[in-house]
Amino acid sequence: LFVDGFFNPLGFLILLSGFEFISGILLIIGFAVRPLSLLWGFLIWTFIIGLPVATTNLDAAGLSMEGKKILGDGIEIKAHTTPALLVLIRDITMSACAFVLFRLGSGSYSLDEKLFNRGQVIDDKVDWEYGDLWIRLSLGVVFIVGALFHGLPYIKSFIPVPFILFIVGVFLFSGHFSKYVGGVTFLIILYYSVFAFIGKAMKPDTGFWDWMNSIKREFVLLAASSLLYMFSDAKKSYYSLQNLFNNPKEKLFGKEA
């Protein structure tokens, strides 16, 4: 990791961390929201691809069930033993949310609107139909993976009852009662975040920043589920399973020209 010259893995990590910090500030103040969200929608996938996963026999590799191995001088290496797509399923949700943000734009309370007169509220039904679809599917897959692979290392299940996660995930996929299911999703993730706060921030050997780091992805999930509650239909979404079965040609291929 520590090799001569700046263009090395350590230098890349420093640049990436700085870019993440600056991007976060720009997104909060609403500057260049669409270019940044488009970039991050793709960039997040590089983290998924780059996650180290142990696919060999754990005993032969000298790894524990959690994928850990202690080398000389107390140096610890770690590889995930669960497939990367399952471990980082929440990152796929973050990527989908980034593309939804690209579609919706920066909004009226942003520097983009103040400086360039570019911003809109979520009042265009067509825009939110797509946003509703992508957020429902991306949240649904997180809950279904958490239910089906409950107990595997590094799988986030949020609550100790995987059956509830599975039911919520199915309803998210179905597009029925999206408003209320979004509210339930928000409460489940909030429940997990609060208990993570008790488990980390309240302990002397960890602290507040450890808690923040452990739930950084949950902030995105909370925001996404709150959007479902605020803007999605209480009965059925435009791209609900019922609408897809009733009129598949229009829903899948668009309206007639």
Side-chain angles (χ1 to χ4, degrees):
L1 182 63
F2 300 94
V3 298
D4 294 334
F6 184 74
F7 293 101
N8 55 63
L10 178 60
F12 172 77
L13 290 175
I14 293 173
L15 287 176
L16 180 61
S17 298
F19 179 66
E20 286 180 337
F21 181 75
I22 295 172
S23 296
I25 293 176
L26 293 178
L27 287 172
I28 290 173
I29 64 178
F31 183 77
V33 168
R34 275 188 163 159
L36 285 172
S37 58
L38 181 62
L39 176 63
W40 276 105
F42 289 106
L43 188 59
I44 289 171
W45 278 89
T46 64
F47 305 150
I48 300 171
I49 296 171
L51 184 73
V53 178
T55 58
T56 185
N57 180 277
L58 296 180
D59 291 333
L63 296 170
S64 66
M65 281 299 295
E66 291 76 23
K68 296 180 180 180
K69 181 178 181 180
I70 305 298
L71 303 178
D73 299 325
I75 299 175
E76 179 182 276
I77 62 172
K78 181 173 67 175
H80 291 76
T81 55
T82 306
L85 279 176
L86 301 182
V87 174
L88 294 181
I89 195 68
R90 293 168 299 162
D91 291 53
I92 296 176
T93 302
M94 292 169 62
S95 176
C97 290
F99 289 126
V100 170
L101 183 59
F102 173 77
R103 168 114 182 147
L104 294 176
S106 53
S108 54
Y109 298 101
S110 64
L111 277 184
D112 286 343
E113 193 275 336
K114 301 298 182 183
L115 299 177
F116 310 117
N117 195 26
R118 293 290 187 270
Q120 65 182 64
V121 296
I122 305 178
D123 58 0
D124 186 343
K125 194 64 177 176
V126 175
D127 274 346
W128 185 242
E129 288 166 357
Y130 292 112
D132 169 90
L133 174 66
W134 286 111
I135 287 178
R136 282 193 299 103
L137 295 181
S138 60
L139 285 174
V141 73
V142 169
F143 273 50
I144 289 177
V145 166
L148 296 180
F149 299 93
H150 177 78
L152 286 180
Y154 304 104
I155 293 294
K156 292 292 183 182
S157 295
F158 302 116
I159 57 175
V161 188
F163 178 73
I164 295 177
L165 291 178
F166 185 80
I167 294 299
V168 173
V170 168
F171 269 99
L172 285 167
F173 267 99
S174 73
H176 292 270
F177 311 110
S178 297
K179 179 182 181 70
Y180 305 121
V181 178
V184 172
T185 302
F186 181 90
L187 291 176
I188 290 175
I189 299 170
L190 183 64
Y191 166 88
Y192 169 80
S193 302
V194 170
F195 271 83
F197 175 81
I198 296 174
K200 288 186 178 292
M202 302 293 288
K203 290 185 177 180
D205 58 332
T206 52
F208 178 78
W209 293 114
D210 291 279
W211 169 68
M212 290 284 286
N213 183 62
S214 69
I215 65 162
K216 54 183 180 291
R217 294 175 177 87
E218 277 64 41
F219 285 116
V220 177
L221 304 186
L222 287 171
S225 56
S226 65
L227 287 176
L228 285 182
Y229 181 77
M230 289 189 291
F231 299 110
S232 292
D233 196 273
K235 293 183 178 180
K236 60 182 178 181
S237 299
Y238 181 79
Y239 288 102
S240 65
L241 287 181
Q242 181 179 346
N243 287 343
L244 286 173
F245 285 130
N246 291 340
N247 195 355
K249 184 183 293 185
E250 178 181 314
K251 295 299 183 292
L252 294 177
F253 299 101
K255 298 180 179 179
E256 292 183 2

